Amino acid sequence: MDSEVSNSSGFGSERITSLLVFGFLQSSSGKFQQELETLGQELFDGALLQTDSDDDELQTDGSRASRCWERIEADSSSQEEVIHNIARHLAQIGDEMECSIHPRLVSSLAAQFMNRSLSEEDRRDCLAAALKEVDQAYPKDMESEKATLIMALLLARKVASHTPSLFRDVFRTTVNFINQRLLIYVRNLVRNEMD
């Protein structure tokens, strides 16, 4: 079981990515501070993110699932700190890249997110299309995955600042986008910092 903790499989992918996005957004001053505070309470109280099993299921070895979660929680605080440090570092880099995102792109993406008829997949596609529009602004000496991650986080921050009522939708879509397209890169970032 200890090997599961060290390779992050116990610390779910969605939680890792949620903490990363949250930390990035927290490292900025936006018009969405109230929404961020509410989300932070949910993240850290466990209301938003649960383990795969919310109930205390009996496992095949006779133990309870929650006992496994208790062991994982011991390492969680150090992993949360690592994720927060990564997010803060990415935000610093993002601050330097922010000028490459045109306000028109932010307004357009916000308008697309306001369209309630769009599915989550459609929203991820809108985010991907916006990232394609700014990909020429990526620093040439930066890894492609890192640049995409930072720009996705920047777009999330700018759209949430532009239209704070979209904060939760933007947060969820960004987490899903990163989990779908950049999960291995994010896990490696965390794993490398933990070593």
Side-chain angles (χ1 to χ4, degrees):
M1 186 56 74
D2 290 336
S3 65
E4 287 182 348
V5 172
S6 66
N7 74 12
S8 300
S9 63
F11 204 71
S13 299
E14 184 169 333
R15 182 155 176 87
I16 289 170
T17 308
S18 293
L19 290 171
L20 182 69
V21 174
F22 177 83
F24 186 93
L25 295 173
Q26 190 179 41
S27 295
S28 65
S29 58
K31 299 175 184 174
F32 50 81
Q33 292 307 310
Q34 183 178 357
E35 293 84 356
L36 187 67
E37 189 175 308
T38 301
L39 179 65
Q41 290 170 352
E42 292 173 7
L43 277 173
F44 296 105
D45 290 343
L48 182 64
L49 302 171
Q50 301 292 324
T51 59
D52 292 336
S53 176
D54 289 338
D55 54 357
D56 212 15
E57 286 184 20
L58 186 62
Q59 303 297 299
T60 56
D61 66 356
S63 65
R64 298 267 177 204
S66 63
R67 300 206 195 286
C68 167
W69 182 245
E70 290 168 7
R71 277 187 261 163
I72 292 168
E73 281 204 12
D75 282 354
S76 294
S77 63
S78 64
Q79 198 167 27
E80 283 178 13
E81 186 177 321
V82 165
I83 294 166
H84 186 72
N85 288 338
I86 292 168
R88 189 176 24 242
H89 176 71
L90 293 174
Q92 289 170 346
I93 296 169
D95 289 343
E96 297 168 12
M97 297 168 61
E98 189 166 11
C99 64
S100 62
I101 298 177
H102 295 286
R104 167 193 54 78
L105 179 63
V106 174
S107 296
S108 173
L109 191 56
Q112 291 169 333
F113 271 72
M114 284 192 274
N115 181 350
R116 295 292 172 202
S117 67
L118 290 181
S119 67
E120 179 61 24
E121 183 178 349
D122 292 336
R123 287 191 174 120
R124 283 193 311 267
D125 290 345
C126 291
L127 180 56
L131 286 167
K132 281 186 181 179
E133 281 192 48
V134 295
D135 72 352
Q136 66 275 13
Y138 295 176
K140 303 300 178 215
D141 60 341
M142 187 180 287
E143 296 172 89
S144 173
E145 294 90 351
K146 184 176 188 176
T148 301
L149 176 62
I150 292 170
M151 286 303 221
L153 293 167
L154 275 174
L155 283 169
R157 179 169 77 189
K158 292 190 82 60
V159 170
S161 289
H162 181 274
T163 314
S165 63
L166 292 174
F167 180 82
R168 284 197 178 263
D169 291 335
V170 169
F171 180 85
R172 182 182 59 249
T173 298
T174 305
V175 167
N176 289 336
F177 177 87
I178 292 169
N179 281 339
Q180 185 180 57
R181 300 189 185 201
L182 299 165
L183 181 60
I184 293 170
Y185 179 76
V186 169
R187 282 191 154 190
N188 287 337
L189 272 179
V190 173
R191 192 170 291 128
N192 290 340
E193 287 296 316
M194 293 290 289
D195 291 341

